[in-house]
């Protein structure tokens, strides 16, 4: 189970990489725009933060097949290492995924709301699909259920495509996606930072230190 950071914030990514077992980064146009910096510079800096082997998933903006392909090629030119081009799964997106796959450009099918979108993306050659768990929960009902159906179908038909569950607003949604068989999950810094927090654990940590200090008058060993 791999955990990625869903962010374009350089200092957040840097600090999360230092503390958490992070396996890569995903961005999207909204996350990039929030940083209010030139896109090329921003995305190259994010790439440089990551070891080459860790994946960076970057989304294109065009909405027609030719534009998507041109932008994917540009991103491949700009970025070294393990790069995946996020393409929305729609008619034009599927065409682009097929052509890019034929040219060995790695793609991630994004904006996934249904298992059928995921199957089409996998058949077109995408290496990942990104179902939007919270958006599905919020708008249609069962995000983890969609993740489970996709994971089951990929296993049943032997697709060489992984599920990268995305769009989480609560820890419970992350756990549900893991239980549903997602291979990977991309999580916002706000959620990631608190994944290991628990009030009882915080109370215990404080309690151990308090007793130690009462006895030894120091926190040294
Ligand atoms: C992932 O690839 C998507 O960009 C992202 O997770 C969408 O998340 P949101 O619903 O929090 O915007």
């Amino acid at each position: 189970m791999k955990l990625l950071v869903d962010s374009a914030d350089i200092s957040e990514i840097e600090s999360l990489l230092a503390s958490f077992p992070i396996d890569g980064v995903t961005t999207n146009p909204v996350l990039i725009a929030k940083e209010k910096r030139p896109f090329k510079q921003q995305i190259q800096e994010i790439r440089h933060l990551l070891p080459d082997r860790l994946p960076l998933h970057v989304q294109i903006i065009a909405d027609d097949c030719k534009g998507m392909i041109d932008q994917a090629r540009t991103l491949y030119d700009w970025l070294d290492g393990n790069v995946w081009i996020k393409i929305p799964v729609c008619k034009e997106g599927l065409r682009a995924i097929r052509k890019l796959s034929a040219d060995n450009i790695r793609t991630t099918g994004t904006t996934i709301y249904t298992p059928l979108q995921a199957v089409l993306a996998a058949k077109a050659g995408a290496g990942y699909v990104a179902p939007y768990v919270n958006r599905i929960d919020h708008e249609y009902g069962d995000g983890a259920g969609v993740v489970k159906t996709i994971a089951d179908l990929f296993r049943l038909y032997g697709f060489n495509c992984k599920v990268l569950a995305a769009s989480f607003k609560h820890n419970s949604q992350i756990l549900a996606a893991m239980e549903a068989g997602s291979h990977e999950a991309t999580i916002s810094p706000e959620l990631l930072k608190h994944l290991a927090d628990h009030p009882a654990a915080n109370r215990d940590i404080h309690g151990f230190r308090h007793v130690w200090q009462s006895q030894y008058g120091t926190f040294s060993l």
Side-chain angles (χ1 to χ4, degrees):
M1 178 75 198
K2 293 191 173 170
L3 294 181
L4 289 82
V5 191
D6 197 25
S7 175
D9 181 327
I10 302 269
S11 55
E12 283 280 30
I13 295 170
E14 204 165 13
S15 121
L16 288 164
L17 282 170
S19 296
F20 291 88
I22 299 296
D23 299 297
V25 169
T26 59
T27 67
N28 68 36
V30 171
L31 295 172
I32 294 281
K34 254 171 53 182
E35 300 306 310
K36 300 182 168 50
R37 295 183 64 211
F39 175 44
K40 181 177 181 184
Q41 188 184 344
Q42 188 71 14
I43 203 70
Q44 285 181 330
E45 283 180 28
I46 295 172
R47 181 64 267 178
H48 289 144
L49 281 180
L50 293 171
D52 268 4
R53 69 190 160 76
L54 292 190
L56 171 62
H57 297 251
V58 196
Q59 194 163 329
I60 50 78
I61 314 295
D63 64 358
D64 64 295
C65 173
K66 183 180 177 314
M68 290 174 176
I69 289 172
D70 289 347
Q71 292 185 352
R73 290 188 196 290
T74 301
L75 288 169
Y76 248 49
D77 283 347
W78 288 352
L79 302 167
D80 299 323
N82 190 351
V83 171
W84 293 80
I85 310 297
K86 289 172 69 183
I87 310 266
V89 177
C90 54
K91 192 174 157 205
E92 290 295 305
L94 285 168
R95 263 180 82 190
I97 290 170
R98 290 176 69 192
K99 287 182 194 269
L100 289 166
S101 303
D103 286 347
N104 293 318
I105 293 186
R106 292 180 288 254
T107 56
T108 299
T110 194
T111 62
I112 299 275
Y113 284 78
T114 73
L116 288 175
Q117 277 181 294
V119 167
L120 286 170
K123 277 181 68 64
Y128 284 95
V129 290
Y132 281 10
V133 176
N134 179 67
R135 294 191 194 207
I136 296 170
D137 280 349
H138 187 64
E139 294 175 51
Y140 303 101
D142 186 8
V146 170
V147 169
K148 177 164 174 22
T149 305
I150 297 170
D152 288 349
L153 289 171
F154 282 5
R155 200 174 320 110
L156 180 65
Y157 291 106
F159 284 120
N160 187 19
C161 184
K162 289 190 172 141
V163 184
L164 168 60
S167 175
F168 297 106
K169 289 291 169 285
H170 304 285
N171 290 0
S172 59
Q173 293 170 318
I174 299 170
L175 184 60
M178 288 179 178
E179 287 171 343
S182 195
H183 304 98
E184 308 191 5
T186 185
I187 304 171
S188 68
E190 295 69 36
L191 282 183
L192 252 177
K193 276 187 279 195
H194 299 293
L195 274 192
D197 285 354
H198 192 283
N202 293 341
R203 178 204 60 207
D204 294 348
I205 293 164
H206 181 76
F208 289 135
R209 285 168 55 81
H210 177 72
V211 171
W212 184 272
Q213 191 188 30
S214 308
Q215 179 62 31
Y216 296 107
T218 170
F219 288 123
S220 305
L221 300 181

